[in-house]
Amino acid sequence: MALPKDTEVVLDAFRLGWYVAEVRGRNRPNGPHGATEKLPDGDAHALPLRIERTPTMRRIEAQGVLTALADELGVDGDDGDYGTRVDEKAKRLDKIRAQHDSAHDEAVQWKSLAELLWDFDAYIQDQLTANSEIQACGYQLGRGLAETYWALDPVQATGAQGWAFLLGEARCRELARLVGRLSAYMNTYTAPAIAGSIEIWKNFAGSSELDKKTAQDVLGNQIRRWYELVVLGQDPTTMIKPYDIIKNWRTLGMAVRQFLPQLVATIVGVLFLGAFLVLISVGGGTAVVKTLLAIAAAAGLSVGGVTGALKNSAQGLLTRLRQDSYTELVTLAVTIPPPAMSGIEMRNAMGQRKLTPITQT
């Protein structure tokens, strides 16, 4: 499926929303640091991969990307300095923290940065909406998906940093809508798979019995996978483990239900035909019996043939069967399982998604 001509711009808007959430999350008090790996000691100038860079380096990187994307999309403010101001305030906040200045000074500086980011976000949304609705959707989706991790306080149940808001019914419903609107800019199975994984995490967030404090790191890996699928264009079907399709008994059950009438009619027809041929070969049976067997055999095979013809003329059903089966497998492959959430619970949650892949012909 060919991607729309404005795919690059829409994905830049998605990335901008993502980095607004990440910059805010990396600077907020007690915010997450993101996944990191340490380099071995002994070589101070070893070149790190991105995941091996320090949280401070990743924060500076995120601020630079934010500034560049805002400038590229023309949403850096009338004076073209929103990104620069965010970077300067973030550096000032980091300096206060490094010098262990008063908690009051840190709180004042964070409030100033948070207000600037709020103004910046409002300006971006206004400008992108005026330019292109789909770009505005891309921005909101990127920021919304990233905020499930970067804005989260894992011990908070309610409030703007709580599970109930960031992965609540209203937000997840809107995120699923945004994913659907941007599905043309993704791989065929990416949008429904993301929608399904959002449902899984929404159900996890709504459970009071699960330990959500330990889940934030897992959620961080989940949003990283969402980013890989949307921005980097990774084909989600490559995440299906070998032989998972064969082991998926639900696929076999769906196939049996689709072809059961044809199969039964054909078997019955063959049985009657076999009986008719046996009677002819041994010379047994009356003419009436032979006639009835011949009629039954012909009827059974005809019904099977008619059913087969109907099946052949409805290739969309077969395609849908394959796509529905694939979507379930892809969703499970794309989802980083929340801690202690069973496979049955994940499948039940996944079944609540409203988005399916486009039927290909």
Side-chain angles (χ1 to χ4, degrees):
M1 182 179 66
L3 297 176
K5 294 181 180 179
D6 61 342
T7 296
E8 185 176 351
V9 178
V10 172
L11 292 185
D12 277 348
F14 177 96
R15 292 178 66 211
L16 177 59
W18 189 281
Y19 276 97
V20 166
E22 182 171 340
V23 167
R24 190 180 189 280
R26 287 188 180 276
N27 283 284
R28 72 179 174 87
N30 300 318
H33 297 303
T36 56
E37 297 289 342
K38 291 185 178 180
L39 288 170
D41 295 331
D43 187 351
H45 297 95
L47 300 179
L49 297 175
R50 179 180 292 182
I51 197 173
E52 295 162 346
R53 305 186 83 189
T54 66
T56 297
M57 295 169 69
R58 294 297 302 274
R59 176 185 58 77
I60 294 171
E61 173 193 276
Q63 290 160 199
V65 174
L66 173 63
T67 302
L69 287 171
D71 180 65
E72 184 174 342
L73 290 167
V75 291
D76 201 20
D78 295 332
D79 298 327
D81 65 347
Y82 260 127
T84 300
R85 289 160 58 200
V86 167
D87 188 55
E88 290 174 350
K89 285 182 179 292
K91 289 177 179 176
R92 201 172 303 135
L93 176 62
D94 182 65
K95 184 177 180 180
I96 291 173
R97 289 170 174 165
Q99 294 175 345
H100 302 289
D101 289 343
S102 71
H104 173 75
D105 290 344
E106 179 182 345
V108 169
Q109 185 62 28
W110 161 245
K111 181 180 179 182
S112 177
L113 175 58
E115 289 175 349
L116 177 61
L117 284 167
W118 193 94
D119 291 338
F120 192 11
D121 171 75
Y123 183 83
I124 292 171
Q125 291 203 56
D126 291 345
Q127 293 301 307
L128 288 182
T129 302
N131 293 337
S132 165
E133 285 284 357
I134 200 67
Q135 290 177 30
C137 288
Y139 173 82
Q140 292 177 68
L141 179 61
R143 206 199 72 198
L145 290 179
E147 279 184 327
T148 60
Y149 172 77
W150 288 111
L152 178 67
D153 181 346
V155 299
Q156 189 175 126
T158 59
Q161 297 180 353
W163 290 92
F165 173 70
L166 295 170
L167 282 164
E169 178 66 37
R171 268 236 166 175
C172 287
R173 184 170 58 246
E174 183 62 19
L175 290 175
R177 288 197 191 105
L178 292 169
V179 170
R181 292 166 189 165
L182 292 168
S183 60
Y185 297 83
M186 307 176 193
N187 178 281
T188 301
Y189 295 100
T190 295
I194 290 177
S197 61
I198 289 172
E199 288 293 333
I200 290 172
W201 277 96
K202 182 191 77 175
N203 276 259
F204 171 80
S207 173
S208 60
E209 301 177 0
L210 301 179
D211 182 6
K212 301 184 181 68
K213 185 176 181 180
T214 62
Q216 189 173 29
D217 289 341
V218 181
L219 183 55
N221 291 328
Q222 179 66 80
I223 71 162
R224 181 181 179 186
R225 181 163 291 180
W226 287 336
Y227 186 91
E228 292 166 349
L229 291 169
V230 178
V231 176
L232 304 182
Q234 182 174 357
D235 187 338
T237 62
T238 62
M239 297 181 182
I240 299 176
K241 296 178 181 178
Y243 308 113
D244 268 3
I245 297 177
I246 297 175
K247 293 185 291 186
N248 189 10
W249 60 269
R250 294 161 69 95
T251 302
L252 179 61
M254 293 171 66
V256 169
R257 288 195 298 271
Q258 286 289 328
F259 292 100
L260 188 59
Q262 177 189 7
L263 185 63
V264 171
T266 301
I267 290 174
V268 170
V270 169
L271 290 176
F272 278 123
L273 179 60
F276 174 67
L277 293 176
V278 169
L279 289 179
I280 290 179
S281 63
V282 300
T286 64
V288 173
V289 172
K290 292 178 182 178
T291 301
L292 291 176
L293 286 175
I295 293 173
L301 292 174
S302 297
V303 170
V306 170
T307 306
L310 291 174
K311 294 292 183 182
N312 289 334
S313 66
Q315 289 299 317
L317 292 178
L318 299 180
T319 302
R320 177 54 64 184
L321 169 65
R322 176 177 62 83
Q323 289 182 306
D324 285 347
S325 171
Y326 239 57
T327 300
E328 179 175 297
L329 289 171
V330 169
T331 301
L332 291 174
V334 163
T335 303
I336 308 293
M341 194 171 188
S342 69
I344 294 177
E345 290 173 321
M346 289 176 62
R347 287 182 183 277
N348 290 338
M350 179 177 58
Q352 298 172 17
R353 63 176 172 83
K354 303 295 192 297
L355 196 62
T356 58
I358 183 173
T359 301
Q360 300 172 336
T361 56

